[in-house]
Amino acid sequence: MLENELSTQKNLENARNRIMGMLNTSTLKEISDVVYQEALAITNSKNCYVAFVDPKNKDSVGISFSHLTPGCEYYKELGEARFKIRKDGTYGGLLGYSIDTGESFFTHDPKNHPAAHGLPPGHEPVSQFLSVAVKNEEDILGQIVLANPQEKYSQEHLKIAEKIADIYATVLKHYYDGKIPIR
């Protein structure tokens, strides 16, 4: 194994231990903030969005996220960015693609991805985009989105993000089971 791969594996193990150690003493928001920090650090990304699917109404709820639009301050004050599921059962757009399909993906050309429908006014540019669905078997519990890395995303970045999503799935199962509060 290369030195960089060993370092990444060690960072993932440290992240797992840190997050799992929080399960009995922290809120979903506190743990999601750590997932956010670890995902950014391990993938060398500038931006991140950590969300869960609301078990009551199926909204996608961004609970820890980079502030890329003027409206993000409003969401920060609310404590979440909520995206309603559409009548057809999808979320749509590039942000909703991994939740809609259950597939992890990355693109070096987000604005020309088939699912893209543009950025909201005032949104910071997104040069690269990576998204993974957080799953428990086939059930989609949430997602982790990363953007604007220091180096081009690769299959290795996707695998790393999927491993972080596996850790977050354990957290979300605890939340869905009523074992941890949202705030």
Side-chain angles (χ1 to χ4, degrees):
M1 206 180 268
L2 299 172
E3 185 177 327
N4 192 31
E5 289 177 67
L6 284 173
S7 176
T8 299
Q9 291 304 320
K10 184 174 174 81
N11 290 339
L12 282 167
E13 188 59 33
N14 289 340
R16 172 181 287 290
N17 292 339
R18 182 177 176 202
I19 292 164
M20 292 300 109
M22 297 175 72
L23 278 179
N24 295 323
T25 60
S26 303
T27 65
L28 178 60
K29 171 63 173 144
E30 291 166 337
I31 298 171
S32 296
D33 286 349
V34 171
V35 170
Y36 168 91
Q37 293 163 4
E38 295 290 351
L40 285 173
I42 296 171
T43 64
N44 291 314
S45 296
K46 181 181 176 190
N47 308 111
C48 184
Y49 174 81
V50 177
F52 67 94
V53 175
D54 188 319
K56 293 177 185 163
N57 59 20
K58 301 300 181 204
D59 289 351
S60 174
V61 183
I63 192 165
S64 302
F65 48 90
S66 300
H67 299 175
L68 298 175
T69 70
C72 286
E73 279 306 309
Y74 170 74
Y75 294 132
K76 180 182 176 185
E77 289 174 20
L78 283 178
E80 63 184 37
R82 189 171 285 267
F83 297 94
K84 298 209 175 287
I85 193 165
R86 301 184 311 187
K87 289 180 184 177
D88 68 0
T90 67
Y91 299 93
L94 196 58
L95 186 62
Y97 188 75
S98 69
I99 300 178
D100 290 341
T101 64
E103 296 175 16
S104 302
F105 75 100
F106 66 90
T107 178
H108 298 132
D109 188 12
K111 68 181 176 185
N112 290 314
H113 187 278
H117 60 254
L119 294 172
H123 196 288
E124 285 184 27
V126 176
S127 62
Q128 293 184 60
F129 186 92
L130 183 152
S131 182
V132 295
V134 176
K135 299 190 278 187
N136 177 32
E137 296 176 15
E138 294 305 310
D139 294 330
I140 297 175
L141 309 177
Q143 77 179 135
I144 298 173
V145 176
L146 295 155
N148 298 330
Q150 292 178 9
E151 59 188 62
K152 284 191 170 200
Y153 285 134
S154 67
Q155 287 298 321
E156 187 59 31
H157 291 100
L158 199 62
K159 289 176 189 172
I160 291 166
E162 287 173 335
K163 288 176 182 176
I164 296 168
D166 289 344
I167 297 166
Y168 194 50
T170 301
V171 173
L172 290 179
K173 286 187 275 186
H174 275 71
Y175 168 66
Y176 286 176
D177 291 343
K179 294 178 182 174
I180 57 174
I182 192 167
R183 287 184 186 75

